[in-house]
Amino acid sequence: MAYTGSLTQTALWQDLQHHFQATRDTHIREWFAEDPNRFHNFHVEAAGITLDYSKNRVNQDTMKLLFQLARERQLPEKLSAMFAGDAINRSENRPALHTALRNFSDREILVDGTDIMPEIRDTVHRMEEFCWKIRRNQWRGYTNRPFTDVVSIGIGGSFLGPKLASSALKPYWDSRLSIHYLANIDGSHITEILKRLDPATTLFIIQSKSFSTQETLKNANACREWFLDNGGTENELCKHFTAVSSNIEKATAFGISEENIFPMWDWVGGRYSLWSAIGLPLALAIGIDNFRELLRGAFEMDEHCRTAPLEENMPVTMALLGLWYVNFYGVNSHAILPYDHYLRSLPAYLQQLDMESNGKRVSIDGNVLDYNTGPIIWGGVGTNGQHAFHQLLHQGTHFSPCDFIMPMTSHNPIDNFHAMLVSNCLSQSQALLQGKSEEQAIAELMESGMSKAEAIVLAPQKIIPGNRPSNTLYFPKATPKSIGALIALYEHKVAAQGMLWGINSFDQWGVELGKQLGDKVLKAIESPEPSEGFDGSTNGLIQAFHRMQGML
Ligand code: F6P
């Protein structure tokens, strides 16, 4: 299958350009006025989630052209190739088979001619036994006391997914276990975590596909030392340290016994690995049954993405809308605005998922692109954002499309908190759409007692252009199943977007350079000799470090 070919040199792209010119000045308000069924006509449902995309700068013609683009770019075929296990991650010659990890069908999934489903099922079974033993106090610490704390040590994809799902599903946690995530290489973070813990009742899970990530190894070694310095012995390490890795050799060399190492596979990318044993800390927190429900929610979204016609396909619709703004409106960011305390880690999670996947400047064939790809993902939990960055969303010179995300019922239905939260969410997307005209601004100011002349002078400060697009995603409640579906929705949106742009969403070569340079800089920083061979700024900063550490 041809992966790329020109995106922007086709007749269809020209049609989209003309359509953009013809509609760019239309206010979404006009489209709502023209079409009383716009909410109904611009929404899709999948796996218990509803997407209302009626507040976008699109009409039926826009969507027709965009779906045609998806066909022309062979999106259905490319998605099928992903689900089937083709080596779509070309630069690493690997499939991207995170969907196999939640395949509840009896379909075989072949990698190099071997069905990988038995190994996946076996791993879930091992996870189940492990969770069972820890949660039922059958596996205890070296003083025979039950575990009270689990420290998950990992970074990037070996951290953000379990962290997101753990906080999203806090109401499902077993209250006898606390889960801590240690990712950053920062003495302050590890100190703050370990100072509250007792080595005798702490279990560590080292989460690293490669078992060679600098931050993870440093943190893991420091935890090991802390354990040995505070009562544990070498012989008891195996009771307290487990790992999830595809590098068995390095994990056993660290001191972890082979039966306590859970597998990872080449065909799962780090940022897509929540569904594998990387989800172990989450499974310990919420229990294996809830973990399976998370997988099931993701599976439902997979089935939707795999089988729904493009026009009803939620991830595809979101991917096309994103492309519309990036490539026609010249937008370079996208805001994620969850209206749920438990979903506060979603923007950080999606930053990695989207930006590490689609932050690419060449096509999958290696050609430098002449169009933009993945936007900057940012955001924060409502209503806090309303009192901070929403000002820019409403009146800034840039516009950033927004995803409002909202469970309709709360796990904590106190007073009318949830009605207030939801009404804030709805009024923000409404304000972005409606804006405030000059006439409205003047009338408002005059009502507050100003003369017309004064009101006219002040009005420009108060005008809000509106016409700022947003999606609203809603579902009944933040349950394991709905969170699984929500995460899978974004995975597929990102993958579909990458396929439309003709890039490889499954590699991440850009992060390697920093890692390589990091080793050289560390050597220079630790040596008292004046540093040489770097650029002037880096030399100057190394010297400042030496000076302030008293090394000079
Ligand atoms: O930051 C780059 C990256 O390779 C991520 O893609 C990955 O999730 C993370 O590092 C951690 O890698 P590992 O699981 O091998 O420690």
Side-chain angles (χ1 to χ4, degrees), residues 155-158 207-213 216 270-271 352 356 508 511-512 515:
I155 197 162
S158 299
Q207 309 245 64
S208 179
K209 183 175 165 183
S210 59
F211 219 87
S212 53
T213 302
T216 302
R271 56 192 171 275
Q352 189 205 19
E356 201 168 77
Q508 60 285 320
V511 299
E512 294 306 318
K515 290 185 193 171

Tab-separated table of all heavy atoms in Angstrom, residues 155-158 207-213 216 270-271 352 356 508 511-512 515, ligand 1:
chain	number	residue	atom	x	y	z
A	155	ILE	N	9.226	6.020	33.292
A	155	ILE	CA	9.048	7.368	32.737
A	155	ILE	C	8.429	7.283	31.343
A	155	ILE	O	8.438	6.210	30.720
A	155	ILE	CB	10.403	8.132	32.754
A	155	ILE	CG1	10.190	9.644	32.598
A	155	ILE	CG2	11.369	7.607	31.680
A	155	ILE	CD1	11.393	10.476	33.031
A	156	GLY	N	7.918	8.408	30.868
A	156	GLY	CA	7.318	8.449	29.525
A	156	GLY	C	6.132	7.502	29.458
A	156	GLY	O	5.271	7.491	30.344
A	157	GLY	N	6.128	6.659	28.434
A	157	GLY	CA	5.020	5.729	28.271
A	157	GLY	C	4.957	4.686	29.377
A	157	GLY	O	3.917	4.066	29.586
A	158	SER	N	6.040	4.502	30.087
A	158	SER	CA	6.037	3.534	31.188
A	158	SER	C	5.584	4.204	32.483
A	158	SER	O	5.803	3.675	33.579
A	158	SER	CB	7.436	2.934	31.359
A	158	SER	OG	7.800	2.273	30.169
A	207	GLN	N	9.413	-0.224	35.784
A	207	GLN	CA	8.679	-0.284	34.514
A	207	GLN	C	9.560	0.284	33.413
A	207	GLN	O	9.701	1.498	33.290
A	207	GLN	CB	7.434	0.583	34.626
A	207	GLN	CG	6.592	0.285	35.850
A	207	GLN	CD	5.250	-0.262	35.428
A	207	GLN	OE1	5.175	-1.334	34.835
A	207	GLN	NE2	4.219	0.461	35.704
A	208	SER	N	10.171	-0.571	32.646
A	208	SER	CA	11.003	-0.067	31.560
A	208	SER	C	11.103	-1.117	30.471
A	208	SER	O	11.693	-2.185	30.679
A	208	SER	CB	12.403	0.285	32.074
A	208	SER	OG	13.196	0.756	31.017
A	209	LYS	N	10.544	-0.787	29.328
A	209	LYS	CA	10.596	-1.722	28.209
A	209	LYS	C	12.054	-2.076	27.890
A	209	LYS	O	12.410	-3.228	27.746
A	209	LYS	CB	9.923	-1.072	26.997
A	209	LYS	CG	9.827	-1.913	25.780
A	209	LYS	CD	9.023	-1.176	24.718
A	209	LYS	CE	9.200	-1.807	23.361
A	209	LYS	NZ	8.493	-1.085	22.314
A	210	SER	N	12.908	-1.048	27.840
A	210	SER	CA	14.307	-1.273	27.451
A	210	SER	C	15.192	-1.651	28.639
A	210	SER	O	16.264	-2.193	28.476
A	210	SER	CB	14.868	-0.004	26.824
A	210	SER	OG	14.786	1.055	27.769
A	211	PHE	N	14.756	-1.346	29.827
A	211	PHE	CA	15.553	-1.453	31.051
A	211	PHE	C	16.896	-0.733	30.882
A	211	PHE	O	17.922	-1.137	31.419
A	211	PHE	CB	15.785	-2.912	31.483
A	211	PHE	CG	15.702	-3.082	32.986
A	211	PHE	CD1	14.488	-3.319	33.610
A	211	PHE	CD2	16.827	-2.952	33.791
A	211	PHE	CE1	14.394	-3.443	34.995
A	211	PHE	CE2	16.743	-3.069	35.174
A	211	PHE	CZ	15.526	-3.326	35.782
A	212	SER	N	16.880	0.346	30.130
A	212	SER	CA	18.140	1.098	29.988
A	212	SER	C	17.885	2.609	30.013
A	212	SER	O	18.760	3.372	29.659
A	212	SER	CB	18.873	0.688	28.710
A	212	SER	OG	18.010	0.808	27.616
A	213	THR	N	16.700	3.007	30.441
A	213	THR	CA	16.398	4.440	30.488
A	213	THR	C	17.069	5.060	31.717
A	213	THR	O	16.896	4.572	32.838
A	213	THR	CB	14.866	4.644	30.518
A	213	THR	OG1	14.332	4.019	29.354
A	213	THR	CG2	14.486	6.105	30.528
A	216	THR	N	15.006	6.003	34.900
A	216	THR	CA	14.405	4.848	35.574
A	216	THR	C	15.471	4.042	36.313
A	216	THR	O	15.274	3.636	37.468
A	216	THR	CB	13.665	3.969	34.532
A	216	THR	OG1	12.700	4.792	33.899
A	216	THR	CG2	12.998	2.777	35.165
A	270	GLY	N	5.969	2.359	23.760
A	270	GLY	CA	5.908	2.809	25.157
A	270	GLY	C	4.625	3.563	25.474
A	270	GLY	O	3.924	3.249	26.436
A	271	ARG	N	4.288	4.544	24.633
A	271	ARG	CA	3.126	5.386	24.956
A	271	ARG	C	1.800	4.674	24.698
A	271	ARG	O	0.733	5.238	24.914
A	271	ARG	CB	3.204	6.708	24.196
A	271	ARG	CG	3.326	6.594	22.697
A	271	ARG	CD	3.692	7.924	22.059
A	271	ARG	NE	4.011	7.787	20.633
A	271	ARG	CZ	5.192	7.451	20.148
A	271	ARG	NH1	6.189	7.199	20.986
A	271	ARG	NH2	5.416	7.375	18.853
A	352	GLN	N	2.123	13.431	25.598
A	352	GLN	CA	3.050	12.422	25.081
A	352	GLN	C	2.424	11.663	23.915
A	352	GLN	O	3.038	11.506	22.860
A	352	GLN	CB	3.479	11.414	26.153
A	352	GLN	CG	4.611	10.533	25.618
A	352	GLN	CD	4.755	9.180	26.261
A	352	GLN	OE1	3.846	8.678	26.897
A	352	GLN	NE2	5.913	8.570	26.094
A	356	GLU	N	4.512	13.007	20.869
A	356	GLU	CA	5.587	12.057	20.555
A	356	GLU	C	5.210	11.262	19.290
A	356	GLU	O	6.080	10.840	18.534
A	356	GLU	CB	5.841	11.108	21.738
A	356	GLU	CG	7.220	10.469	21.711
A	356	GLU	CD	7.606	9.764	23.007
A	356	GLU	OE1	7.124	8.645	23.255
A	356	GLU	OE2	8.392	10.331	23.784
A	508	GLN	N	9.929	7.527	17.642
A	508	GLN	CA	10.201	8.763	18.392
A	508	GLN	C	11.701	9.074	18.378
A	508	GLN	O	12.323	9.202	19.415
A	508	GLN	CB	9.663	8.701	19.837
A	508	GLN	CG	10.209	7.588	20.742
A	508	GLN	CD	9.636	6.242	20.430
A	508	GLN	OE1	8.459	6.098	20.149
A	508	GLN	NE2	10.473	5.218	20.461
A	511	VAL	N	13.574	12.114	20.388
A	511	VAL	CA	13.962	12.172	21.799
A	511	VAL	C	15.361	11.590	22.031
A	511	VAL	O	15.926	11.743	23.107
A	511	VAL	CB	12.933	11.465	22.722
A	511	VAL	CG1	11.577	12.125	22.624
A	511	VAL	CG2	12.835	9.984	22.401
A	512	GLU	N	15.905	10.940	21.005
A	512	GLU	CA	17.188	10.256	21.199
A	512	GLU	C	18.374	11.208	21.337
A	512	GLU	O	19.275	10.976	22.141
A	512	GLU	CB	17.460	9.284	20.036
A	512	GLU	CG	16.503	8.120	19.967
A	512	GLU	CD	16.423	7.329	21.263
A	512	GLU	OE1	17.485	7.088	21.883
A	512	GLU	OE2	15.307	6.978	21.669
A	515	LYS	N	19.082	12.395	24.719
A	515	LYS	CA	19.623	11.314	25.565
A	515	LYS	C	21.119	11.155	25.296
A	515	LYS	O	21.917	11.023	26.225
A	515	LYS	CB	18.921	9.991	25.262
A	515	LYS	CG	17.485	9.927	25.728
A	515	LYS	CD	16.932	8.518	25.483
A	515	LYS	CE	15.433	8.463	25.631
A	515	LYS	NZ	14.839	7.215	25.209
B	1	F6P	O1	10.974	9.288	25.889
B	1	F6P	C1	11.228	8.320	24.980
B	1	F6P	C2	10.796	6.959	25.432
B	1	F6P	O2	11.417	6.080	24.559
B	1	F6P	C3	9.282	6.767	25.440
B	1	F6P	O3	8.741	6.546	24.208
B	1	F6P	C4	9.160	5.622	26.383
B	1	F6P	O4	7.859	5.466	26.762
B	1	F6P	C5	10.098	6.065	27.462
B	1	F6P	O5	11.183	6.640	26.752
B	1	F6P	C6	10.540	5.019	28.454
B	1	F6P	O6	11.221	3.941	27.866
B	1	F6P	P1	11.458	2.589	28.651
B	1	F6P	O7	10.132	1.977	28.944
B	1	F6P	O8	12.288	1.748	27.747
B	1	F6P	O9	12.193	2.908	29.941
